[in-house]
Amino acid sequence: MDTPITIEEIILLANVPDNLHTAFLRVVNGLHERAKYPKEKVFLMLVKMLNDPKKYAFSKNKVTNLAKTVYDLRKAGTEIALTEAGKEVLKSEEAVLVPEDKTAQARAAFSLRENKLDYAVFGKEHIEEGALAQMETAVSLPISVAGALMPDAHQGYGLPIGGVLATEPDKVIPYAVGVDIACRMCMSVFDIPTNYLRREPHFLKKILTENTKFGMGGETARKYDESVMDQPEWEATKVIRSLKDKAYRQLGTSGNRPPQRRHPRRLRRTRHYPRLDEPAGIRHPRQSQS
């Protein structure tokens, strides 16, 4: 670690009055010696605060108390102005990319691969064309290594909701995220012969309509004995604990949009429009829709 910051180094950046020398030294050396900030970072933080003390005085940060003092002085008519050296430090932070940096970025540009990856599609006959087109683009990225579309897939903004894309381990795509909050699928296996459901299709429809609720504020008529409610995650925070009973009442519900009429054979295509206050990860096992 470097030697402690001196008052001479500070007044090279700003005209700090004598009566505040001790306060400034205490703050900057606290950052430098205890928080292990390099001098350059401390100097930058200092000049940014002095340039806009009000911003730092009314937000929680490492120099809040010092910023309040500087801001009060400014309101009283005494401003701690930056020197030319201090202004240069501030300019270096605000500088735009130099031509060399722009050239480096241009070299990093890439094109889609000509031969896209093969990927799995589950329930393709029920997936809209927009979602398929988005997935085609995703698996054409040169950093993609695998992909798949789930039966509930529908068009998103970048990657389709219900789409899964694996990339090279050191690559991240922030835009490849679905926008349906908490949208997911859940599969349950029942001890019922498949031919029974073919003979009694109304039985499946009855189960779905009785155990799935649609629309704002929808809640199930009775609580189910669900192991998902016993998971330790429910004790993680006070907010999560306060939502547990509400989540229990909403098991089997879907979204904040009224239900639409659909043919029974297409019930599994129903889109899930989740409630914004719905805890993530909670879905009734009987649901097979997103």
Side-chain angles (χ1 to χ4, degrees), residues 15-285:
N15 60 342
V16 179
D18 293 348
N19 64 319
L20 291 181
H21 284 186
T22 301
F24 270 74
L25 283 171
R26 183 175 62 251
V27 172
V28 297
N29 279 310
L31 294 171
H32 180 49
E33 296 178 334
R34 289 195 296 275
K36 308 300 182 184
Y37 284 20
K39 281 188 176 183
E40 294 76 11
K41 184 173 182 179
V42 175
F43 293 152
L44 177 59
M45 185 178 294
L46 185 63
V47 297
K48 289 172 71 174
M49 181 275 288
L50 291 172
N51 184 61
D52 189 2
K54 182 177 181 181
K55 173 183 175 181
Y56 287 83
F58 291 94
S59 62
K60 189 174 182 180
N61 56 77
K62 299 289 187 180
V63 293
T64 298
N65 292 334
L66 187 59
K68 288 179 179 177
T69 300
V70 174
Y71 180 58
D72 289 341
L73 281 174
R74 176 178 285 189
K75 288 195 298 182
T78 302
E79 182 170 356
I80 301 178
L82 294 176
T83 64
E84 290 303 317
K87 292 176 182 178
E88 286 299 319
V89 172
L90 191 63
K91 284 181 182 179
S92 67
E93 168 72 6
E94 298 172 345
V96 296
L97 287 173
V98 296
E100 290 77 13
D101 292 330
K102 292 181 179 179
T103 303
Q105 284 196 341
R107 288 197 297 267
F110 54 81
S111 302
L112 297 178
R113 55 162 56 103
E114 294 183 6
N115 299 318
K116 64 180 182 298
L117 295 173
D118 291 328
Y119 61 97
V121 182
F122 301 94
K124 185 174 183 178
E125 65 276 15
H126 298 302
I127 297 177
E128 60 192 22
E129 290 299 322
L132 291 169
Q134 286 183 324
M135 199 65 196
E136 292 284 313
T137 301
V139 295
S140 297
L141 295 172
I143 62 172
S144 300
V145 296
L149 273 180
M150 302 300 107
D152 67 329
H154 44 281
Q155 186 170 343
Y157 283 87
L159 192 69
I161 293 91
V164 181
L165 185 69
T167 65
E168 296 173 0
D170 60 341
K171 304 298 190 300
V172 176
I173 310 176
Y175 196 55
V177 178
V179 293
D180 279 14
I181 302 172
C183 191
R184 66 183 53 78
M185 290 193 68
C186 180
M187 181 183 73
S188 296
V189 179
F190 296 95
D191 187 17
I192 301 175
T194 54
N195 59 358
Y196 177 82
L197 294 179
R198 293 192 188 100
R199 293 196 312 268
E200 306 288 343
H202 63 280
F203 178 67
L204 175 59
K205 181 179 179 180
K206 185 173 184 292
I207 290 177
L208 290 174
T209 55
E210 288 183 353
N211 294 282
T212 304
K213 303 295 180 181
F214 292 84
M216 180 67 75
E219 296 184 354
T220 54
R222 60 185 183 277
K223 289 186 176 181
Y224 297 92
D225 182 14
E226 297 296 347
S227 60
V228 69
M229 303 308 300
D230 297 326
Q231 294 180 358
E233 286 82 357
W234 286 107
E235 301 300 320
T237 68
K238 182 178 179 181
V239 173
I240 293 175
R241 289 194 295 272
S242 70
L243 292 171
K244 183 175 181 179
D245 286 342
K246 184 175 185 179
Y248 205 171
R249 296 193 304 271
Q250 291 182 348
L251 282 174
T253 66
S254 287
N256 55 12
R257 189 175 90 166
Q260 297 180 352
R261 293 184 178 274
R262 283 184 171 84
H263 191 280
R265 292 177 60 188
R266 300 184 67 187
L267 282 175
R268 64 184 180 136
R269 291 190 62 201
T270 304
R271 283 183 66 174
H272 168 53
Y273 291 82
R275 294 167 56 93
L276 293 178
D277 58 353
E278 191 174 73
I282 308 303
R283 276 291 174 276
H284 194 280

